[in-house]
Amino acid sequence: MAGCKGGLGGEAPHVLAVDDSSVDRAVIAGILRSSKFRVTAVDSGKRALELLGTEPNVSMIITDYWMPEMTGFELLKKVKESSSLKEIPVVIMSSENVPTRISRCLEEGAEDFLLKPVRPSDVSRLCSRVLR
Amino acid sequence: RPFESHFALGPIYSYTARPSLILAQHRQLLRQAAAAGGRDDDPSPPAVWSPVSLHRRATHSQHNGRPPPPSAGPPSSCGYLDEQFCQVEDLQDDASPNFTEEVVTLFFKDSARLISNIEQALEKYPKDFSRWDAYMQQLKGSCSSIGASRMKSECMSFRDCCGQGNPEGCMRSFQKVKREHGALRQKLEAYFQLVRQAGPAGAATRPV
């Protein structure tokens, strides 16, 4: 699969993957790495925000919708409310095709909404659209 | 050696081929062998039968210059795994040579925990369909991620019974989920044993 072009200095874009499922985390990380992204995978919205506070060069966040304690939607809102984080594209993943859920996420500023299981072709599409 | 007799990989291996090419050829043969292999209730081939779904039709293989034997049954009737498993396998490369097995290991660890949670919930929270459904949704998601199609189907049946408020149906479905889980574990263990027997790419000792 063709990889994404790097950012400044040709460095691979850094993607933060958020999913409470260890299986899904492994699969999405594998897909992202095969597309030549640099990947950090965490298991909760809380950990994602902690990492975003210390890691300045996250190019994209891809997060599961349904997670305990903080949903992907809540994470999206927090990112978009933050002056330092709001420019980071956020992509939501979900195993359920619920139109109202999708609209709500897109209205809140999500770049895209992917249905699980996520395929490499979904990530290729993201690369061209989201990481301009 | 049972692996040799059933998968006839001799003509494919080459000392001069790149290791990644040998691995790719090997995996293709495994898939073709699975597609050509017997049904679940077929006493032969032996326990090392690959569980890969028959969705990928066996094309004329290169081994021995002969096409593989025809499929023993319709593609969807015995597919424990669907195309998603192939997608996971395709992510495996030289940098992550054990990716598939790692993901499958995570799946069985996660699914065992979820099944235990559901079992406890069925006992402790009678007719709490939304709780039961929430747990099963997680399990179904994991099944979907690795392409465990038969198990996913039983998860969906369970959720249907939750939606109908049918506790007996839930119990029956849950037993089927557990059976499929056990069967899938056996199949995948046999599959990875086969892969390990084949040895690392480039380490083949069979003559061209």
Side-chain angles (χ1 to χ4, degrees), chain B residues 53-87:
Chain B
S53 167
L54 301 183
H55 286 185
R56 290 198 175 183
R57 296 175 63 83
T59 54
H60 286 298
S61 89
Q62 299 301 310
H63 61 272
N64 296 329
R66 293 194 302 270
S71 298
S76 58
S77 69
C78 50
Y80 283 88
L81 299 166
D82 62 26
E83 179 63 27
Q84 178 65 15
F85 185 79
C86 301
Q87 299 266 353

Side-chain angles (χ1 to χ4, degrees), chain B residues 2-190:
Chain B
F3 179 72
E4 273 185 354
S5 66
H6 288 279
F7 293 101
L9 295 174
I12 293 299
Y13 283 163
S14 163
Y15 290 111
T16 60
R18 287 180 291 117
S20 58
L21 177 59
I22 292 174
L23 180 62
Q25 288 170 337
H26 166 67
R27 284 165 58 198
Q28 176 63 17
L29 276 172
L30 285 171
R31 288 172 186 167
Q32 288 170 355
R39 288 186 305 229
D40 201 22
D41 57 352
D42 191 340
S44 65
V48 292
W49 176 79
S50 166
V52 174
S53 167
L54 301 183
H55 286 185
R56 290 198 175 183
R57 296 175 63 83
T59 54
H60 286 298
S61 89
Q62 299 301 310
H63 61 272
N64 296 329
R66 293 194 302 270
S71 298
S76 58
S77 69
C78 50
Y80 283 88
L81 299 166
D82 62 26
E83 179 63 27
Q84 178 65 15
F85 185 79
C86 301
Q87 299 266 353
V88 172
E89 279 197 307
D90 286 344
L91 295 174
Q92 190 158 297
D93 58 15
D94 296 339
S96 306
N98 303 311
F99 181 76
T100 312
E101 194 167 357
E102 287 165 5
V103 172
V104 168
T105 302
L106 282 172
F107 169 75
F108 281 111
K109 187 176 168 187
D110 195 46
S111 56
R113 176 184 61 84
L114 289 168
I115 285 173
S116 173
N117 287 348
I118 294 167
E119 204 140 40
Q120 287 175 36
L122 289 170
E123 193 177 338
K124 278 188 191 170
Y125 305 103
K127 296 192 181 180
D128 191 343
F129 297 109
S130 68
R131 184 188 296 265
W132 299 356
D133 182 73
Y135 279 132
M136 191 56 81
Q137 182 185 357
Q138 292 180 58
L139 183 57
K140 183 199 134 202
S142 276
C143 293
S144 188
S145 295
I146 70 153
S149 53
R150 276 170 62 150
M151 196 173 152
K152 178 183 163 187
S153 178
E154 297 302 340
C155 291
M156 287 164 69
S157 294
F158 181 96
R159 295 190 74 199
D160 287 342
C161 291
C162 286
Q164 293 157 12
N166 177 358
E168 292 83 16
C170 287
M171 298 297 178
R172 280 193 300 272
S173 290
F174 183 58
Q175 294 309 313
K176 289 181 186 174
V177 167
K178 288 202 291 185
R179 268 202 299 276
E180 288 299 334
H181 184 254
L184 181 65
R185 186 193 288 273
Q186 278 187 338
K187 297 290 185 190
L188 282 170
E189 278 172 356

